[in-house]
């Protein structure tokens, strides 16, 4: 175990509060007494339902399960999240919260209850038969569910996403009042038909986003909770410290590796940043890292966790569903971009450690082998997920087995440590409840995202906006290549801006249905489009001016928020540019392992050289301090190298070579003058 001083321990105080204050998801209530016990029991019941669906699915179909799932989880949102999202509210739910919870349960279960109204028969099959001709009670129940979904989303993520949903609903209803010469004008959709599309159709509340939340994301949050309860988080950090031990770059490397490993037990870049910062900031401070540099490194490492296999972020599961590919395929697509991302961080760490003179830090850590002997079993469950996916076993089945293995190791650890089996049972029960509660914001977001996707599908808005974007790009540049470049840049900016206001999962879904067709119209393949949007959606957490992960890191280190944001941008710059390489040339698909091994090899090598050139620009270090001439030469070098075509690569290599020569001459001249 890593030994830290009392002063260092002070940095860990208030971690939960920092996550709640700066994460894209609002802080949950701290329930007490019988209310806590009730929510705990209800959450375990939902967890058991989810596990039951993996092995014994409902015979009535997946939509029936989604109806039950949403009906049981939506009330929990109102019990677990405050109406105003501030700590001034009583932490236990009040009468209005209970009223919302009860109504949510009733209208959520309405499609499966033996109630029809207006002379219609009740039951799920009869409800589906009324698609397109909903009864009055159907419309009322659907409208109430819409209001409750938007309120649940507001409580968990803020006001922006519900307002976006309302804007799309207004567009669907009032579209007929738009000037008919506008491309986005349409005939307008009747309110009952809007409710029908949301409530009795697989593109609304019960569409792909909620399906992914109910069958993938919730199981992975349960797995993360069990893994964390087994002590995996502490083991991963200790292993990172032991791996690099004592050198001036070891603290920075440790932060990056710890962030990557902690990402397996956290689905949030901001939460990972805060957890990582509480442990590693004291070490970075002792090494001599300035507050802002340390904050930037922590934010970049935290966000890297959800860009990286084997877990990735929640949107990765949606990619698999949208493209009808296995989750393992998505993991494979992410391997090389992950390598380049951490290569960029490694270059930045090496440059920073030399530029501001970081010092080695002595830590009382066991050797790597000793740690692996005592806790290496934590990697077994991760390996099970990968192996099962390789065997073409569905990810939701693989993660259940991995969770079982992790729980078994936790039991063995309890018994070896002198604990009782009853303590282990309580530990696993708490983990199940924590996993469900941790997934509630994602469930609300995915249900709300159904409002947007349903509206776009019903009105054809997505294709119209995509056509407009492509037309504008072609108006600015008649050359097809330049039109693609402009469209990709416009799309990257749009996704980044969208991500400033809404959570990653929602921004991916919106961008996929609006911007995805624009890139597809320019002959960009679906895998490249999906990963392009995914990366920019995730990177919104480190994009100024909000940069939630950077703000949280600044709160840990006490540094300037804006300077921490720009330091974070420095560390993550390769991640902002590499996704453009996916879509601009055919060779870019090699970064997603979509081509033969030889092509993949040279594309990765060239891209790594481009990342190195970027590191010179942002880090100001080559073989020594880099002056402005060589840094200026590395700008076109990086851009041309990442445009993966032979001619641009050759020119880019030339620019980089000139920068190196200028740098070496500049280093040699002072030494010669000193010798004279």
């Amino acid at each position: 175990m890593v030994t830290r001083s009392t002063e260092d321990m002070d940095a860990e105080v208030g971690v939960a509060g920092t996550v709640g204050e700066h994460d894209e998801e609002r802080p949950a209530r701290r329930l007490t007494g019988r209310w806590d016990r009730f929510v705990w029991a209800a959450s375990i019941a939902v967890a058991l339902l989810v596990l039951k669906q993996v092995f014994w699915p409902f015979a009535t179909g997946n939509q029936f399960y989604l109806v039950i799932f949403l009906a049981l989880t939506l009330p929990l949102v109102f019990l677990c999240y405050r109406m105003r999202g501030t700590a001034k509210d009583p932490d236990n739910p009040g009468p209005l919260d209970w009223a919302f919870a009860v109504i949510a349960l009733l209208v959520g279960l309405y499609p499966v209850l033996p109630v029809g109204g207006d002379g219609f028969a009740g039951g799920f099959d009869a409800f589906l038969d009324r698609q397109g001709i909903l009864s009055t009670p159907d419309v009322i129940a659907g409208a109430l569910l819409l209001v409750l979904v938007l309120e649940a989303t507001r409580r968990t993520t803020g006001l922006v996403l519900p307002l976006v949903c309302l804007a799309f609903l207004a567009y669907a209803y009032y579209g007929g009042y738009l000037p008919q010469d506008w491309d986005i004008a349409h005939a307008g959709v009747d309110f009952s038909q809007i409710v029908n599309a949301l409530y009795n159709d697989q593109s609304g509340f019960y569409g792909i986003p909620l399906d992914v939340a109910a069958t993938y994301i919730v199981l992975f949050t349960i797995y993360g909770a069990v893994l964390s309860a087994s002590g995996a988080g502490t083991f991963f950090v200790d292993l990172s410290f032991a791996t690099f031990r004592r050198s001036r770059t070891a603290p920075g490397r440790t932060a990056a590796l710890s962030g990557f490993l902690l990402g397996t037990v956290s689905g949030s870049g901001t939460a990972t940043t805060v957890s990582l910062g509480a442990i590693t900031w004291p070490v970075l401070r002792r090494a001599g890292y300035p507050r802002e540099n340390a904050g930037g490194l922590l934010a970049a490492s935290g966000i890297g966790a959800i860009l990286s296999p084997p877990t990735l972020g929640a949107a990765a599961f949606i990619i698999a569903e949208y493209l009808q590919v296995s989750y393992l395929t998505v993991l494979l697509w992410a391997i090389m971009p992950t390598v380049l991302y951490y290569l960029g961080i490694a270059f930045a760490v090496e440059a920073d450690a030399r530029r501001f003179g970081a010092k080695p830090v002595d830590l009382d850590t066991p050797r790597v082998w000793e740690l692996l002997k005592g806790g290496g079993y934590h990697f077994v469950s991760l390996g099970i997920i990968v192996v099962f996916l390789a065997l073409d076993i569905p990810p939701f089945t693989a993660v259940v087995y991995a969770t079982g293995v992790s729980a078994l190791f936790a039991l063995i650890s309890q018994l070896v440590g002198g604990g009782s089996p009853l303590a282990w049972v309580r530990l696993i029960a708490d983990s199940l409840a924590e996993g469900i509660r941790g997934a509630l914001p994602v469930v609300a977001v995915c249900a709300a995202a159904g409002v947007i996707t349903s509206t776009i599908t019903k009105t054809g808005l997505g294709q119209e906006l995509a056509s407009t974007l492509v037309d504008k790009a072609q108006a600015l540049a008649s050359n097809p290549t330049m039109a693609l470049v402009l469209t990709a840049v416009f799309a990257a900016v749009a996704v980044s801006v969208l991500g400033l206001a809404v959570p990653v999962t929602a921004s991916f879904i919106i961008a996929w249905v609006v911007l995805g067709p624009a890139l597809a119209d320019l002959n960009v393949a679906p895998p490249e489009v999906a990963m392009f949007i995914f990366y920019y959606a995730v990177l919104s957490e480190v994009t100024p001016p909000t940069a939630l992960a950077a703000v949280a890191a600044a709160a840990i280190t006490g540094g300037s928020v804006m300077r921490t944001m720009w330091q974070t941008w420095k560390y993550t710059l390769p991640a902002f540019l590499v996704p453009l390489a996916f879509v601009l040339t055919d060779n870019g698909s090699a970064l997603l392992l979509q081509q033969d091994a030889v092509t993949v090899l040279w594309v990765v090598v060239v891209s790594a050289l481009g990342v190195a050139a970027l590191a010179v620009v942002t880090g100001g270090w080559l073989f020594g301090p880099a002056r402005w001439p060589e840094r200026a030469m590395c700008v076109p070098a990086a851009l041309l190298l990442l445009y993966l075509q032979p001619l641009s690569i050759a020119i880019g290599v030339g620019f980089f070579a000139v920068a190196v020569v200028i740098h070496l001459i500049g280093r040699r001249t002072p030494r010669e003058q000193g010798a004279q």
Side-chain angles (χ1 to χ4, degrees), residues 568-594:
T568 303
W569 186 79
K570 176 191 76 175
Y571 280 103
T572 57
L573 182 60
F576 281 92
L577 295 183
V578 168
L580 289 170
F582 299 165
V583 301
L584 294 183
T585 66
D586 292 339
N587 290 326
S589 63
L591 289 173
L592 305 182
L593 304 183
Q594 296 285 292

Side-chain angles (χ1 to χ4, degrees), residues 268-278 295 298-303 541 549-550 552-553 556:
S268 166
T270 303
T272 302
T273 297
V274 174
S275 301
L276 177 66
L298 293 173
S301 301
I303 207 67
E541 288 201 25
I556 292 290

Side-chain angles (χ1 to χ4, degrees), residues 120-315:
F120 289 97
F124 185 62
D125 291 337
F127 179 75
L128 293 181
D129 290 340
R130 295 197 295 275
Q131 188 174 96
I133 50 169
L134 297 184
S135 67
T136 300
D138 295 342
V139 175
I140 294 173
L144 286 173
L145 185 59
L146 170 61
V147 172
L148 292 169
V149 164
L150 296 182
E151 169 60 11
T153 306
R154 186 196 65 79
R155 290 190 180 205
T156 54
T157 64
L159 192 58
V160 175
L161 183 55
L163 289 178
V164 171
C165 292
L166 289 174
F168 274 93
L169 290 170
Y171 168 74
Y173 188 76
Y174 292 107
Y177 294 96
L178 295 174
Q180 292 304 301
D181 57 341
W182 288 15
D183 291 336
I184 62 172
H186 62 94
V189 183
D190 181 76
F191 182 72
S192 64
Q193 291 303 308
I194 292 176
V195 172
N196 179 82
L198 297 175
Y199 199 33
N200 199 343
D201 192 283
Q202 293 187 359
S203 67
F205 297 136
Y206 311 114
I208 287 178
L210 184 66
D211 187 18
V212 169
T215 55
Y216 295 96
I217 297 172
V218 69
L219 288 169
F220 272 83
T221 58
I222 291 173
Y223 167 66
V226 173
L227 193 62
S228 179
S230 70
T234 301
F235 165 74
F236 289 152
V237 174
D238 288 347
L239 181 64
S240 300
F241 279 111
T243 299
F244 298 112
R245 301 194 72 81
R246 191 179 187 279
S247 72
R248 62 181 176 182
T249 57
R253 295 174 181 174
T254 297
L257 179 59
S258 297
F260 173 76
L261 294 174
L262 284 174
T264 60
V265 296
S266 172
S268 166
T270 303
T272 302
T273 297
V274 174
S275 301
L276 177 66
I279 300 169
T280 60
W281 160 234
V283 179
L284 293 172
R285 179 176 56 201
R286 288 161 58 188
Y289 271 74
R291 296 177 184 274
E292 289 78 15
N293 290 75
L297 175 59
L298 293 173
S301 301
I303 207 67
I306 57 174
L307 285 170
S308 310
T311 50
L312 294 175

Side-chain angles (χ1 to χ4, degrees), residues 75 78 83 95-105 148 151 155:
F78 297 111
M83 180 172 291
L96 189 58
D97 300 309
W98 280 103
F100 281 166
V102 171
I103 296 171
L105 179 65
L148 292 169
E151 169 60 11
R155 290 190 180 205

Side-chain angles (χ1 to χ4, degrees), residues 397-419:
T397 304
V399 74
V400 171
Y401 283 116
T403 303
V405 169
S406 184
L408 179 60
F409 280 127
L411 173 61
I412 296 172
S413 179
Q414 281 271 349
L415 296 177
V416 171

Side-chain angles (χ1 to χ4, degrees), residues 3 16 84 87 125 129 138 171 195 209 212 214 263 342 418 451 510 534 616:
T3 302
R84 290 187 294 276
D125 291 337
D129 290 340
D138 295 342
Y171 168 74
V195 172
V212 169
Y342 281 99
V451 175
I510 297 170
F534 169 69
V616 175

